């Protein structure tokens, strides 16, 4: 047909456009498709792209599902204390010019079934390294006194001097914790991990993690960028988000695999 049209001079070129989505993949069962779709927040840019196949730019709230109803994800302190955790991890982000120091303690549920953000703090940068050491050890003591232990601490690897101070302070206080550099995977991958946990109902927090609650509700995309970039101009709490992500990023693949 095309050859005939071409010979008659009726076909001058162009293209044939067909739009396919995951629902058109004959190699996937209905159950598998539903498993994949359930990993996405339907309001997220990734759902629009990966599931609906749209060419969409990131804009607005990053965690809209959480921001629309944050109380849905809050659990009582009593329940958090009586929950069994595979490990308890603290993420630390160090402040800079427009940012603050942030600590976030996260309980990892057995077999990576989900997380509970147990507590979080944010502090001004106008403190000395010694004062910061005390803020850090006091935070660890509070978590240990409440939940029994802290297994790992993952601080931002950019501040090695402050990290050495943390190690010395923890040793001096006889706090049995392992302090290692944060892995710092790509920010957009960290965002996708948190978004997936929220959309799958595997993300919880206590009232003691109010800075995490506020940070998730405020986080927005930088609409001036052509890429997926989180707005970081001092108008929202990126420090707490970084600390939260540092506490879970090393197990990103395990969280996705062990849904």
């Amino acid at each position: 047909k095309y050859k005939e049209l071409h010979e008659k001079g009726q076909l001058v070129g162009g293209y044939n456009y067909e739009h396919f989505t995951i629902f058109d993949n004959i190699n996937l069962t209905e159950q598998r498709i539903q498993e994949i779709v359930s990993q996405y927040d339907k309001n997220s840019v990734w759902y629009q792209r990966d599931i609906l196949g749209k060419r969409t730019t990131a804009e607005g709230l990053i965690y809209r599902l959480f921001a629309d109803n944050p109380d849905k994800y809050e659990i009582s302190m009593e329940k958090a204390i009586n929950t069994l955790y595979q490990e308890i991890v603290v993420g630390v982000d160090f402040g800079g010019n427009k940012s603050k120091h942030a600590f976030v303690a996260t309980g990892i549920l057995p077999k990576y079934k989900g997380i509970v953000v147990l507590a979080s703090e944010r502090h001004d940068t106008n403190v000395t390294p010694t004062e910061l050491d005390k803020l850090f050890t006091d935070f660890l003591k509070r978590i240990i006194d409440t939940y029994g232990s802290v297994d790992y601490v993952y601080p931002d690897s950019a501040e090695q001097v402050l990290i050495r101070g943390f190690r010395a302070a923890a040793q001096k206080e006889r706090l049995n914790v392992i302090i290692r550099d944060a892995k710092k995977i790509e920010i957009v991958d960290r965002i996708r991990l948190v978004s997936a946990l929220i959309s799958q109902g595997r993300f919880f927090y206590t009232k003691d993690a109010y800075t995490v609650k506020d940070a998730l509700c405020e986080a927005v995309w930088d609409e001036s960028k052509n890429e997926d970039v989180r707005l970081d101009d001092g108008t929202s709490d990126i420090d707490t988000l970084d600390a939260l992500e540092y506490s879970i990023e090393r197990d990103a693949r395990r969280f996705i695999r062990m849904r």
Side-chain angles (χ1 to χ4, degrees), residues 5 11 55-56 122 126 141 143 151 157 227 235 257:
L5 290 173
L11 185 64
R55 301 179 68 178
T56 307
R122 195 169 180 232
N126 60 349
K141 289 177 183 177
I143 302 304
D151 299 286
S157 57
E227 303 173 351
T235 59
R257 186 171 64 245

Side-chain angles (χ1 to χ4, degrees), residues 107-134:
I108 310 298
L109 298 179
K111 297 184 178 180
Y112 304 97
K113 291 296 185 181
I115 67 170
V116 179
V117 186
L118 306 173
S120 61
E121 290 182 356
R122 195 169 180 232
H123 300 282
D124 288 331
T125 54
N126 60 349
V127 295
T128 66
T130 301
E131 291 170 335
L132 182 60
D133 290 345
K134 187 173 189 310

Side-chain angles (χ1 to χ4, degrees), residues 137-181:
T137 54
D138 284 349
F139 182 76
L140 291 186
K141 289 177 183 177
R142 181 158 68 91
I143 302 304
I144 293 171
D145 288 345
T146 306
Y147 297 97
S149 68
V150 170
D151 299 286
Y152 299 97
V153 177
Y154 295 121
D156 185 344
S157 57
E159 299 290 347
Q160 289 298 315
V161 173
L162 295 178
I163 293 174
R164 285 196 291 271
F166 277 10
R167 288 194 178 105
Q171 184 176 17
K172 182 178 179 181
E173 294 293 330
R174 297 183 178 180
L175 301 176
N176 186 27
V177 297
I178 298 172
I179 302 177
R180 297 175 177 170
D181 291 349

